[in-house]
Amino acid sequence: DFLVVVDGYDVVIGGREEEFWDRYLRVVGGAAHSRSQGVPDPVVFQADHTFYCPLNNQTASSEVAWRYPPSPTKYKFLSSGGIMGSAKALANLIEVVVKEYANHEWEMKSDQSLFIRYLVDSHHSKQEPVHPLYVDHYMQLFGGNGGNYMKDFAVEEGRLIHTKTAGRPVSLHTPGRKKYQREMMWLSESGWENDIIDCGASG
């Protein structure tokens, strides 16, 4: 069984179950067909334009930023606002990151910092990671407007389209203060098909 895990109030789903699967396969490519070779299913994370890896030690956080792997787009950084993978792969990955990185440096408010540290260390390791982790740099599966408010998304035939990468994400994550979530309403008014409810309050 595959799971999709997203943040709460600041994520809207705008697509069907089969669209999630289709976009997942686009992100991971041939890696999805490696099970017969004993390779775990990849776990896909949303990408973000901004770096957010809170640690209790500022020096450690800065070091992680400097060691962060390159990206083919400016949507470089892992965000845990959208995650998709098999139940088994997710459980195994969580077990590993908690065991390895939930130490005195961890800012306990953020699970994202654990996954980022795993990604960075895996990139610099000479061995293939035991638990493959992909970041959706082209926003094919998960959309996010962190750092690029009201700049990247449009609507085409009722679905989101990312104007810079041509990705067609199934969800939109608008992290941060409530003002950034106004993009959800603007896209809905532009024809994006979803079940969004406007609570009315502004922040």
Side-chain angles (χ1 to χ4, degrees):
D1 292 337
F2 273 71
L3 302 176
V4 175
V5 183
V6 298
D7 276 9
Y9 69 94
D10 60 358
V11 173
V12 171
I13 306 297
R16 300 181 298 275
E17 181 179 340
E18 57 267 27
E19 291 177 81
F20 275 102
W21 181 243
D22 173 75
R23 304 305 193 276
Y24 171 87
L25 292 178
R26 293 187 190 187
V27 175
V28 304
H33 304 290
S34 300
R35 289 193 212 173
S36 60
Q37 303 172 19
V39 178
D41 293 303
V43 177
V44 176
F45 283 77
Q46 178 202 322
D48 206 343
H49 184 245
T50 55
F51 179 73
Y52 182 69
C53 181
L55 299 172
N56 287 329
N57 182 320
Q58 183 60 43
T59 301
S61 184
S62 298
E63 181 183 348
V64 172
W66 279 109
R67 297 177 65 233
Y68 199 91
S71 166
T73 73
K74 68 179 181 179
Y75 311 101
K76 177 177 181 178
F77 300 108
L78 178 151
S79 168
S80 59
I83 309 171
M84 182 172 176
S86 70
K88 182 178 180 180
L90 278 168
N92 290 340
L93 178 61
I94 291 169
E95 181 179 4
V96 168
V97 300
V98 168
K99 181 179 179 180
E100 293 293 326
Y101 302 110
N103 53 34
H104 65 281
E105 292 180 347
W106 182 35
E107 168 55 65
M108 294 182 66
K109 296 178 181 178
S110 175
D111 60 306
Q112 183 165 301
S113 60
L114 301 180
F115 295 118
I116 287 178
R117 292 182 73 188
Y118 175 83
L119 171 67
V120 170
D121 284 351
S122 296
H123 174 73
H124 290 280
S125 173
K126 296 180 180 180
Q127 299 178 341
E128 288 293 322
V130 177
H131 304 286
L133 188 158
Y134 283 60
V135 179
D136 184 15
H137 295 296
Y138 291 92
M139 296 203 180
Q140 300 180 86
L141 172 59
F142 300 114
N145 74 348
N148 268 28
Y149 174 57
M150 298 292 278
K151 294 180 180 180
D152 289 343
F153 293 97
V155 178
E156 188 176 282
E157 297 181 349
R159 292 293 186 260
L160 282 185
I161 183 168
H162 195 281
T163 58
K164 306 296 192 301
T165 69
R168 293 178 176 269
V170 192
S171 67
L172 178 63
H173 179 208
T174 58
R177 297 168 62 185
K178 188 172 176 60
K179 69 177 183 178
Y180 299 118
Q181 291 147 37
R182 294 174 187 156
E183 186 162 4
M184 294 176 175
M185 300 308 302
W186 171 71
L187 290 166
S188 294
E189 292 165 359
S190 300
W192 181 30
E193 298 173 2
N194 59 59
D195 295 325
I196 190 171
I197 298 175
D198 184 7
C199 297
S202 60

